Amino acid sequence: MPDPERIDGTEDDLGEIEDPEADSSEAQPTPSTPGLSSNNCVGDSCVQATTCASVGQERGMFMWEEWILDSVSPTPTALTDELVGFAASHGVTRIYFQAQGHLPTSAGRTKLAALIAAADQHCIGVDLLLGDHSWHLPGQTGAQNLLTNAYQLVAGLGATARPVRVHYDVEPHANSTWNSKTNAQKTVALGQLISMYQSLQTLGGQLAAQYAGQLSAPLEIVGVAPYWFDEKVYSTAVPVGGVTRPMIEWMSDTLDVVNLMDYRDTYTSMRSKAINEVTYAQTSGGKIIAGVETICGLSASTTFCEEGEQGTPSKPGIFPVLKKVNDYFGAAAPDAWSGVFVHHTVSWMPLSPCNVAQNNCAAGQTCQTSQIMSAYATRKGLSQQGWAVCVGEATPSCGDGVVNGSETCDDGNSDDTDRCSNACTVQACPSAGDVKGLWVWNDYVNLVNDSAAAGELLDFAREKDVTRLIFDLWDEEAGALLTATTPGRGLLADFIADADARCVEVDLLVGPKTDTAFPAMEGWMDPSGNVNTAIAFAEDAVEFTDALTGPKPVGIHLDIEPAHAPDMGSNTAGVVARLIDRLYQITDAFEAAQASAGTTLRINTDANVWLQHHNITRSGVTKAAHVWLLDRLDATFMDYVDNSTSLIDYVSTEMSYAAGLSDRQVIVGVETMCGLDDGDTFCEEGEAAMASALATVASSYSANPAWQGTAIHYYDAYAVLPN
């Protein structure tokens, strides 16, 4: 963690810039690099020996320390190499480099060109970062003048070289006069900001025409926006040119890209603060990049200073949180979402320490004492802490999680029994044996939005030899089933594919809720309940599966328990009959949808072992409830006892009947939750006793053609079950 003394870029944000004409002997010559001296640049970056891959979602990094280009000792080359090396080692694809002190002069532009070329060698783009919190005011021309300088710089890089954007950080609320303004005056100031950006776009069009022979396209203009541009009274009705609109709409429609200062330290908060901006951009053709803060000395909820890069399971850090945000918005708004950023370099570096003596970086990287941090501390009068950082790109190797060279896969783990072998070749999953299922309930449904937690679940499944996740689809945040929304479907498809890569199947689980989140589902077992939501789920699941081009779920799984019906105590026979009726209604709709789509999902329902004691008459025919059920559906019998003798005995009737049916599958489920009657759960006995009991049950029924395996209820409880 950083020194308690604040490592802050506030001063460097807007000032303390070296004289760009000073020390001209240290100006770095423009190297002979494709894109700088020739026209074979590809995409956003140019390289000498290879072509850069296109960047889908960028990872940006602010760099306010413009003085590194003018340093005498260490040299600009040494500091630039460290900056680019740190960026490369941390997956940064674009550096937002403060440039306003260097753009106005030829010597300064030469230094910037050298930086751009150095970054380009690692396929890292550069934004020319410019900022002054008074540029929006009438009569100010600083932003416009620097845009002209930016075109002069880029025009000299070659006709097809376009490695830069122009990135403005102009925040009226950071101007010294802001707090003295009324809300009406603040609204006017925000309108002036939009007018400034509109003038910049107009000027950019003129400059692009002027330099048409030297540029492949106009330079994109990026603007910084706080997350509250969709919230504050004075930012939700901003008049510009006689038209009044919310500030974030003005920003999204005026700029090529909006950099959203989404400065919160949890996934939930970041997603909440960015949702309106991203949703609008998706519908209007805008682009959004959202970022996080790392400066110490701020409110704990606004910065990752405390959490660091990785954090802990209970308090995730920068990387897992940004991965979740990227995953969610990348699926929810693929046209608008452009990536994430970290603010800023000198407050990030102390959160990413390494040990020089141990060189504990990835293969191909080097741990070195940070000259940038040392020089920064000297300039700021801070004590030297011996900061060290990893620099450089990791050497590609099997097991690094990136497919390279002759590898056909690389899952980054040492599990040699999944679909990717330890030699990084694709292989088949082991031959199917008994199913070992695991219920994953609504507390974990947002796993599809959380790659770190999803990976933890899949690692747990592999460790425990779980072969099937019975995965609840209710998304509490979205207020819908994952199969009911386009973003949810995309995230679920990715999760199923990730599970399949680990040789784990997925059943799509849904059932009435015990809370008020989904009232329509609660009524499935009510006397007047509406089963249409269950039918819609079954049809959605078929449609979702039919559209998948990759791995598919194995089936749908219903959890409709008659004990939840309000009249269970007074009308048990009627409730059981109602259960069978509704299961048949759902199955009819499911089978009709499958026949139309041509999918091969199975339908399974959780079932109580006591159903065998209730006879049901339907259309003049009387059968035991478990017979009616097994005639149409696979079943997972909730055989919640804690010894093998009872487990075998309680399902013997069901197993005997199922054995005579064609293609019927039965699973026996057990409980691990604590706080229940001792005889109902393996909480007290622990995992070894449960494993032994389930092995005995499997041995007893292995010759039964209906036997499919066992299932454990449920992830949260099993994860803490004593060994």
Side-chain angles (χ1 to χ4, degrees), residues 49-106:
T50 187
T51 298
C52 295
S54 61
V55 176
Q57 295 176 345
E58 77 176 54
R59 177 181 287 179
M61 177 177 73
F62 276 84
M63 177 59 176
W64 290 108
E65 279 56 61
E66 187 174 0
W67 49 262
I68 70 170
L69 300 185
D70 305 308
S71 176
V72 176
S73 178
T75 66
T77 299
L79 295 176
T80 296
D81 285 348
E82 180 184 325
L83 171 66
V84 173
F86 178 80
S89 70
H90 287 71
V92 170
T93 61
R94 186 170 287 273
I95 299 171
Y96 311 151
F97 190 87
Q98 186 181 31
Q100 65 203 63
H102 288 80
L103 273 176
T105 68
S106 175

Side-chain angles (χ1 to χ4, degrees), residues 639 641 643-655 668 693 695-701:
D639 198 2
V641 288
N643 63 87
S644 59
T645 301
S646 296
L647 283 168
I648 294 168
D649 180 56
Y650 284 8
V651 294
S652 60
T653 300
E654 292 86 345
M655 291 300 302
V668 172
T696 301
V697 175
S699 176
S700 176
Y701 287 122

Side-chain angles (χ1 to χ4, degrees), residues 573-607:
V575 169
V576 174
R578 191 186 313 141
L579 169 69
I580 300 302
D581 286 343
R582 293 183 180 175
L583 287 174
Y584 273 43
Q585 286 179 269
I586 298 167
T587 303
D588 287 343
F590 172 74
E591 291 178 348
Q594 287 237 104
S596 176
T599 52
T600 57
L601 295 171
R602 300 188 71 92
I603 182 169
N604 189 305
T605 186
D606 294 338

Side-chain angles (χ1 to χ4, degrees), residues 420-441:
C420 186
S421 74
N422 286 350
C424 289
T425 57
V426 176
Q427 62 185 11
C429 291
S431 300
D434 284 0
V435 165
K436 182 178 180 180
L438 175 65
W439 278 274
V440 183
W441 276 110

Side-chain angles (χ1 to χ4, degrees), residues 42 87 112 131 188 282 290 324 350 357 359 372 411 442 462 488 498 510 526 552 563 570 582 590 625 660 674 702 718:
V42 178
L112 287 169
V188 169
Q282 177 71 9
K324 291 172 66 175
N359 194 35
I372 290 176
D411 56 13
N442 56 306
R462 292 294 300 175
D498 290 343
V510 74
D526 290 355
K552 303 177 185 291
S570 60
R582 293 183 180 175
F590 172 74
C674 295
S702 60
Y718 188 17

Side-chain angles (χ1 to χ4, degrees), residues 606-623:
D606 294 338
N608 300 99
V609 292
W610 49 258
L611 290 177
Q612 61 178 281
H613 302 300
H614 295 274
N615 291 326
I616 303 300
T617 300
R618 304 180 81 246
S619 302
V621 178
T622 300
K623 304 178 190 177

Side-chain angles (χ1 to χ4, degrees), residues 77 79 85 102 112 139 150 192-193 211 221 387 416 422 429 465 503 509 559 570 611 629 691:
T77 299
L79 295 176
H102 288 80
L112 287 169
Q192 291 168 340
L193 178 65
Y211 292 102
I221 295 179
W387 296 283
D416 204 28
N422 286 350
C429 291
D465 295 320
C503 297
L509 169 64
D559 182 62
S570 60
L611 290 177
L629 187 152

